[in-house]
Amino acid sequence: MTSWMAEPDPALTDAAGTALAKALAGRPLVTAERFGSSMRTLYAGPGPLSRARPRLAIGCYPGWERAAPHAVLAAEDRTRVRGPVQRHSWTRTVDGEAAALLAALPVPPVIAAWYATEQLRRWAGPGGTVAAIDGRLRQAIEDKAAFDTLLESAGVPDRMRIPCVRIDGRLPALADLRRQIDARRLVVQAGSDCGGRGTVFVDTEADLARAAAMPGPYKVAAFVPGWSSNTTVLSVPDSRGGVAVYVDRPSHKAIGIREAGIGPGKSAGNDWSRPWPSKAAADVVETAVRIADHLWAGHGMAGLFGLDAILTPEGQAVFNEINCRNQGTTEVSAVNQQLRGLPPFAAAHLTALLGGRVDWMPDPGEFNAATVTASATTGVGPFYLKLRHRGAIPVRLTAQRGSGVYRLNPAGDLTWVRAGAHPGQANADLGEILLANLPAEHVVCLPGAELGTAEALTTGPGTPFAAPHQLSGFGANVLDTLAAHFTPASDPTPSR
């Protein structure tokens, strides 16, 4: 770990591990997420929670030695291909094998996932448990067309809501929509998809036609310039019939960076090292608490969720989306909690979903007040940058040692530094980077394939982003240097 990462209080780590073990009650913990290394910040970081290391990980991509659960079933080990289709079809690829492996366990498993589906319930089998937000509840809460109603119902002030209208039928003409919203550039959203899907920026009639191809209903909102942001929120039942709500510091999220292979409306990664205005950070905390209380009162929902906002050039926070589940940010945002000497939120999330008691967290009011202070202070924070194959032909990633900590040297190459699996093991201010979830050399990477993430800590100089839609020189160097290790590969067979 870098010198910035201190070991958390052993008593808190022990309490979190004991509570999780009690909630698991001897049942094997299994993860079912795209990355086989999911939850590695819990068990491969400072104050490791050994009880959080899964017995089995089922996913698209395998982990690596420092980040691997006890066993991994990865679709990529079967297909030897990494690409956009594979990352969406991996559950079908491993379906039969996963069901058989889980059925052979001596005790029914607990499956941790983003949200519960019928397939996961089938995998868990009789007596098994899916520890995740219910998929139907998640879909209802994440419905983009209903988000403004959610904010209103939770009592979020108008000044933090983006002007918008809900359209239940066909989308009107562009001129009509502009008049209704009183804005020239519009954002049309529909459905409850993740990863930027379901969002279209509308400047032209052609853009509106693309938006209209999505099934409604629609939310049509004014485009708001500024930094996109994500905040991880944890709510856990308290002893008074409500929930205690803990709000992590908000990020700066870069969106739609074409040179990084990231399309419009899609995230290129998040950086938690940049400070926020104190008032805007306080508004994020207040809104997150209001929403968490509302979801508990209306749906009995506790656990993790993500709140997306835009930090305007004037320093105000306005909210645009909710993600009612674990997210792509969950892994690295956990470092924020570890920097404060606490086990990651994910441990409390799992414990609460399993009906266990979360008794090691501090007073939520004190925690959230410290969040506002930390958010407004220049200091150390984690980040991650998504790595994509930006070329037009299949390639293999060669001449490297796999996932671990590297240094970008002046010659524009990667030098292996050490084995690693946690962002806190890399100091980007010294040119270090943790390359996580890289493909093995034998894996064919198709255009648009996820190559993993670049992660580290920084006090600012090592940030991968220069602006809301722009890479920093350091971020561009990471992508270009990695691409120098590509070797052209033959097209995989259609059966793969």
Side-chain angles (χ1 to χ4, degrees):
M1 298 292 162
T2 71
S3 59
W4 293 318
M5 294 296 302
E7 288 293 322
D9 184 337
L12 290 178
T13 300
D14 183 66
T18 299
L20 178 57
K22 185 176 180 180
L24 287 169
R27 295 171 292 178
L29 177 61
V30 176
T31 58
E33 293 189 21
R34 197 160 76 250
F35 294 98
S37 64
S38 66
M39 300 206 313
R40 58 189 159 89
T41 41
L42 275 78
Y43 61 78
L49 287 171
S50 59
R51 294 176 177 92
R53 185 184 289 270
R55 179 78 60 85
L56 170 67
I58 304 171
C60 184
Y61 314 125
W64 64 104
E65 183 180 0
R66 292 296 181 98
H70 295 289
V72 178
L73 169 61
E76 186 168 277
D77 288 337
R78 277 68 183 159
T79 65
R80 298 190 170 210
V81 176
R82 185 176 289 204
V85 171
Q86 287 72 24
R87 71 170 173 258
H88 295 300
S89 64
W90 66 268
T91 56
R92 296 194 298 273
T93 300
V94 301
D95 184 47
E97 195 171 355
L101 277 173
L102 294 172
L105 291 172
V107 179
V110 169
I111 300 179
W114 280 24
Y115 51 88
T117 64
E118 289 306 316
Q119 182 182 44
L120 291 178
R121 294 187 182 98
R122 176 168 53 80
W123 285 1
T129 300
V130 180
I133 301 296
D134 178 75
R136 291 179 293 270
L137 176 61
R138 166 253 168 187
Q139 191 168 21
I141 294 173
E142 289 190 20
D143 181 4
K144 295 176 176 64
F147 181 65
D148 191 60
T149 300
L150 171 65
L151 294 180
E152 182 179 24
S153 300
V156 177
D158 287 349
R159 65 183 175 82
M160 291 185 267
R161 293 161 53 191
I162 300 172
C164 68
V165 294
R166 176 185 172 117
I167 305 294
D168 287 295
R170 294 179 60 184
L171 287 171
L174 181 54
D176 291 341
L177 286 173
R178 284 172 170 162
R179 278 193 294 270
Q180 289 186 55
I181 304 298
D182 192 23
R184 181 158 186 83
R185 192 176 199 207
L186 306 176
V187 182
V188 179
Q189 293 181 290
S192 55
D193 244 333
C194 57
R197 293 180 295 276
T199 297
V200 178
F201 296 98
V202 175
D203 295 293
T204 66
E205 294 287 354
D207 296 331
L208 187 63
R210 287 192 298 112
M214 300 187 295
Y218 308 92
K219 181 181 80 171
V220 184
F223 173 79
V224 177
W227 275 100
S228 292
S229 172
N230 176 271
T231 303
T232 301
V233 186
L234 168 71
S235 65
V236 294
D238 61 25
S239 59
R240 301 179 300 278
V243 283
V245 185
Y246 299 89
V247 186
D248 190 33
R249 63 183 295 177
S251 72
H252 285 72
K253 176 164 64 175
I255 296 290
I257 302 181
R258 181 175 296 178
E259 61 268 35
I262 305 296
K266 297 180 184 295
S267 167
N270 286 264
D271 176 14
W272 287 270
S273 71
R274 293 173 178 266
W276 266 61
S278 181
K279 180 63 171 67
D283 283 346
V284 170
V285 168
E286 176 191 342
T287 298
V289 172
R290 286 178 180 269
I291 290 175
D293 287 340
H294 173 72
L295 293 177
W296 173 255
H299 302 281
M301 195 205 92
L304 284 172
F305 68 88
L307 186 60
D308 285 1
I310 298 170
L311 178 62
T312 71
E314 295 76 30
Q316 296 180 316
V318 292
F319 299 91
N320 62 323
E321 195 169 310
I322 186 171
N323 296 300
C324 179
R325 50 181 161 74
N326 287 23
Q327 309 164 86
T329 57
T330 303
E331 194 75 66
V332 178
S333 69
V335 180
N336 290 322
Q337 294 107 60
Q338 293 171 321
L339 285 167
R340 294 170 66 170
L342 292 171
F345 282 171
H349 169 76
L350 265 179
T351 301
L353 287 181
L354 293 171
R357 183 182 174 193
V358 177
D359 56 5
W360 67 88
M361 293 292 290
D363 175 82
E366 294 177 1
F367 180 92
N368 293 336
T371 291
V372 174
T373 300
S375 299
T377 304
T378 300
V380 64
F383 69 78
Y384 71 92
L385 167 65
K386 294 180 180 179
L387 308 175
R388 293 285 187 273
H389 173 30
R390 301 167 291 169
I393 63 170
V395 297
R396 289 187 173 90
L397 184 61
T398 59
Q400 45 77 41
R401 294 180 57 175
S403 297
V405 179
Y406 292 80
R407 180 176 290 111
L408 289 166
N409 60 45
D413 201 2
L414 293 167
T415 300
W416 173 267
V417 177
R418 66 183 76 90
H422 188 277
Q425 294 165 329
N427 182 340
D429 294 358
L430 299 178
E432 295 178 349
I433 204 83
L434 170 68
L435 297 180
N437 295 295
L438 295 179
E441 288 199 6
H442 65 266
V443 172
V444 175
C445 299
L446 305 179
E450 295 178 311
L451 303 176
T453 49
E455 307 168 2
L457 295 178
T458 181
T459 59
T463 178
F465 309 120
H469 311 285
Q470 181 183 348
L471 292 170
S472 67
F474 180 76
N477 195 14
V478 171
L479 298 181
D480 292 343
T481 303
L482 187 66
H485 290 268
F486 292 164
T487 299
S490 300
D491 282 307
T493 62
S495 63
R496 291 182 178 176

